[in-house]
Amino acid sequence: MTHALRTALIGACALPLLVACGSGGGAESPAIIAPPPPGVATSPAGPVYQAGVFPPSSQFRNQCATVRTDNTPDGNPRADQRGELIDELFWIRSWMNETYLYWEEMNDVDPSGFSDRQAYFDEVVTDVRTAAGPLLDRFSFTQTTEAFEARSSGAPVFGYGASLAVLQNSGLPRDWRISFTQEGSNAETAGLTRGARLLTIDGADFLNGTSPEVLQTLNDGLFPDSVGEEHVFGVRYPDGTEADITVVSQSITIEPVQDVRIIQDADRRVGYVHYQTFGPRTGEAQLLDAFTTLSRAGVDDVVLDFRYNGGGLLALAAQLGYMVAGDQSLNRVFYAQEFQSRAPNTNPISGRRVAPIDFIPETVGFSVDAGRPLPSLDLPRVFILTTSRSCSASEAVLNGLNGIGVDAFQIGTRTCGKATGQIPLDNCGITYVPLHFRGVNAEGFGDFDGGFAPNEITGDNGPVIPGCEVEDDFSNPLGDENEALLAAALSFARGDGCPADATATASKDANGPLGAESMDFVGSTLDDPLMQMPGVRAYMAQQGVLDMSGTALADDK
């Protein structure tokens, strides 16, 4: 069995952070220069803008103002040729018209006068809103190719090894808390434990600081430029105690599988997997090892902790779905793409007609030799832990399993609602990641732009996902049987239903009630100026690359 795979993206932005590729992440300034100084995005012999007329994007492809001399991660020379900034901007405009899912709603903007490629892309992305109010496109983004390639390969990056939950970014005071730390990281060793709320960074007021100097200090502390930087984080723990924690930046390799354990619950063995991202290709080997452990233990149920999983490679999601469902998923549709209205069954980038992506029962060569059979649990049901940071490929697992009759129970809160996907493409050092397709399950359902929520109808007439509505519990470690979401899953699996006090844990937390987690994305207008700092914007884009996006698309099976 072979699977022809192209890299594509389906996901949503979250902020599992304190790890970065530099303070700015390679992001360019969003400023637009108007009127343009001489020589900005213009060329005497270059293209001329005409509204509604789009020359073929191939005319401008790889025509770069700055030609790179390095090789791709595969060792091949870059395709860059000498060009001008105006060529790059016209390529964006034409390529978006040719491939963008919402090509009819995109903004046809004159490239003249733009000095920043990423800013121009943001202007082209549609700003149309849905009938319910949110933007039609909350997810398209760009990132420097250097950062994109580092993240997708799982290469080490600078950071501390902690993940943050942004619980408030629309006003002050800010509420950012440690959601988990990577085992053995400097953050864990120093004491940045789950639930700690940021109060200060290097003496600067994190809760309410807005001056340029304070914002720069916060940005620099959150996103170190190199290994060995020392920063002091003032935090308050859930029990009310406060401390100043000195943490030194290090080289961090993202571990997609954070925890695997077997829980003996009464007479049942329950497997628990904390899977934080479908992004790095190293996730294939880690998922194989995790489910081999669960299979050998003969678990009766499995709990998938996707609460901070923003998405990633769709092939990994299709593999994980098989490892849960086993033979009942063979030759069944996991995810089918629908592209532009011009030709919904054709990938506009490759030009090939697409077949649905089935559940995948073998390795595909991401980090294990292709063709190796995957372990499977052959379970009739699965328990999935979610928050608003559960997006894209995480939602695809829930939707895909539900589509073949596996009972997918949802424990937690509403997911982010990303029913769309992307195919990233590099041009001249920027990777562009606009929305390209929508995805549906074996029953043709994909209307979950409003997210999945326990016991609520999904979309206008979609399925009701049974489960328990439970707020995230920052007062207990992940994987602890007393942690609210896991405790509710175990109770539900025993047949005891949802715990009566499922939402009571927040009252134990000295940092106060949680409120709604932030799910704003790069390009959004946010009230908090910290969210516009280059490190935060770049990291939100970075998480959009893989922890929110990044799929494998079987476009020519």
Side-chain angles (χ1 to χ4, degrees):
M1 180 177 183
T2 61
H3 301 273
L5 300 172
R6 284 179 60 89
T7 300
L9 298 176
I10 68 164
C13 285
L15 200 60
L17 54 82
L18 293 194
V19 66
C21 298
S23 62
E28 297 175 313
S29 166
I32 300 170
I33 299 177
V40 174
T42 61
S43 174
V48 177
Y49 171 78
Q50 184 177 349
V53 177
F54 299 89
S57 64
S58 58
Q59 179 177 327
F60 312 108
R61 177 88 167 110
N62 297 318
Q63 302 298 310
C64 309
T66 301
V67 175
R68 293 169 291 174
T69 58
D70 65 328
N71 292 334
T72 69
D74 296 330
N76 299 315
R78 301 284 184 187
D80 298 5
Q81 300 177 34
R82 177 63 59 190
E84 303 290 341
L85 174 60
I86 194 70
D87 298 315
E88 296 186 46
L89 299 180
F90 266 86
W91 176 82
I92 293 170
R93 177 174 175 266
S94 292
W95 185 68
M96 288 287 281
N97 176 261
E98 293 167 0
T99 68
Y100 188 36
L101 180 64
Y102 301 122
W103 64 280
E104 294 173 295
E105 292 84 9
M106 66 175 272
N107 300 310
D108 184 6
V109 181
D110 184 353
S112 300
F114 282 80
S115 63
D116 183 292
R117 298 165 291 177
Q118 292 166 292
Y120 179 70
F121 174 88
D122 289 344
E123 288 295 314
V124 171
V125 168
T126 181
D127 52 10
V128 170
R129 293 187 176 271
T130 66
L135 288 168
L136 183 65
D137 182 356
R138 297 175 287 149
F139 301 101
S140 293
F141 67 97
T142 59
Q143 189 179 26
T144 63
T145 298
E146 179 183 11
F148 183 94
E149 290 174 346
R151 180 73 177 178
S152 61
S153 68
V157 291
F158 305 137
Y160 310 105
S163 171
L164 280 174
V166 181
L167 302 176
Q168 170 70 13
N169 74 352
S170 59
L172 302 176
R174 301 181 184 97
D175 188 356
W176 293 28
R177 307 187 196 185
I178 304 295
S179 51
F180 67 92
T181 54
Q182 192 156 296
E183 184 176 2
S185 66
N186 287 354
E188 181 188 55
T189 302
L192 284 179
T193 55
R194 175 169 168 79
R197 181 178 180 179
L198 297 189
L199 304 179
T200 61
I201 297 179
D202 293 331
D205 181 4
F206 188 87
L207 298 179
N208 296 291
T210 58
S211 72
E213 296 79 12
V214 166
L215 293 176
Q216 191 61 55
T217 297
L218 300 180
N219 185 86
D220 293 346
L222 289 170
F223 305 101
D225 278 320
S226 60
V227 171
E229 290 187 28
E230 186 175 282
H231 295 279
V232 180
F233 291 81
V235 299
R236 181 189 300 124
Y237 295 104
D239 64 4
T241 60
E242 298 184 5
D244 288 330
I245 305 296
T246 299
V247 191
V248 179
S249 62
Q250 63 183 126
S251 180
I252 294 290
T253 300
I254 301 297
E255 299 292 341
V257 175
Q258 287 288 310
D259 190 12
V260 181
R261 63 181 65 189
I262 311 298
I263 299 171
Q264 190 68 42
D265 188 58
D267 60 345
R268 300 180 63 78
R269 285 187 172 186
V270 179
Y272 170 84
V273 180
H274 175 203
Y275 192 51
Q276 70 151 324
T277 173
F278 286 93
R281 295 169 180 247
T282 53
E284 181 178 45
Q286 294 187 18
L287 280 176
L288 187 152
D289 290 344
F291 276 83
T292 296
T293 297
L294 300 184
S295 178
R296 288 174 177 171
V299 297
D300 302 292
D301 278 307
V302 65
V303 176
L304 303 178
D305 196 337
F306 288 167
R307 76 184 77 192
Y308 308 129
N309 191 320
L313 291 159
L314 187 56
L316 293 179
Q319 290 176 315
L320 189 153
Y322 167 77
M323 287 188 275
V324 170
D327 289 349
Q328 62 190 308
S329 68
L330 289 175
N331 301 313
R332 304 289 301 277
V333 171
F334 175 75
Y335 188 99
Q337 307 89 27
E338 297 175 352
F339 288 88
Q340 277 191 339
S341 57
R342 291 177 173 127
N345 296 317
T346 299
N347 180 333
I349 296 177
S350 69
R352 301 186 181 100
R353 287 184 61 82
V354 297
I357 298 173
D358 291 345
F359 288 81
I360 299 177
E362 62 189 18
T363 56
V364 297
F366 284 155
S367 52
V368 180
D369 290 341
R372 178 175 170 181
L374 293 171
S376 64
L377 305 181
D378 297 293
L379 294 174
R381 66 181 188 176
V382 61
F383 297 86
I384 300 178
L385 310 186
T386 67
T387 66
S388 63
R389 287 168 61 186
S390 307
C391 305
S392 188
S394 296
E395 294 170 298
V397 170
L398 190 157
N399 195 46
L401 289 171
N402 191 67
I404 63 168
V406 173
D407 291 327
F409 297 99
Q410 182 181 1
I411 310 296
T413 54
R414 184 181 300 275
T415 62
C416 82
K418 187 171 188 300
T420 48
Q422 296 115 301
I423 303 172
L425 187 65
D426 162 63
N427 192 65
C428 300
I430 299 295
T431 294
Y432 297 89
V433 198
L435 296 180
H436 287 120
F437 57 88
R438 296 186 63 82
V440 299
N441 66 13
E443 295 183 339
F445 179 75
D447 182 21
F448 55 88
D449 297 273
F452 291 99
N455 306 315
E456 290 188 16
I457 295 176
T458 308
D460 292 333
N461 56 2
V464 175
I465 306 298
C468 303
E469 183 177 359
V470 185
E471 293 289 347
D472 201 0
D473 173 14
F474 286 91
S475 64
N476 285 294
L478 297 180
D480 189 309
E481 295 173 44
N482 294 313
E483 189 277 319
L485 271 68
L486 180 54
L490 295 174
S491 175
F492 206 92
R494 288 194 301 268
D496 294 336
C498 302
D501 61 346
T503 60
T505 54
S507 63
K508 308 173 189 175
D509 195 331
N511 285 316
L514 301 184
E517 283 201 76
S518 164
M519 283 310 301
D520 292 296
F521 302 98
V522 173
S524 299
T525 299
L526 301 172
D527 294 334
D528 182 359
L530 178 60
M531 302 304 289
Q532 297 298 338
M533 293 298 290
V536 177
R537 286 176 58 86
Y539 208 88
M540 291 179 79
Q542 183 175 326
Q543 299 314 119
V545 171
L546 293 167
D547 289 341
M548 97 160 182
S549 304
T551 65
L553 172 63
D555 62 359
D556 56 355
K557 283 205 299 186

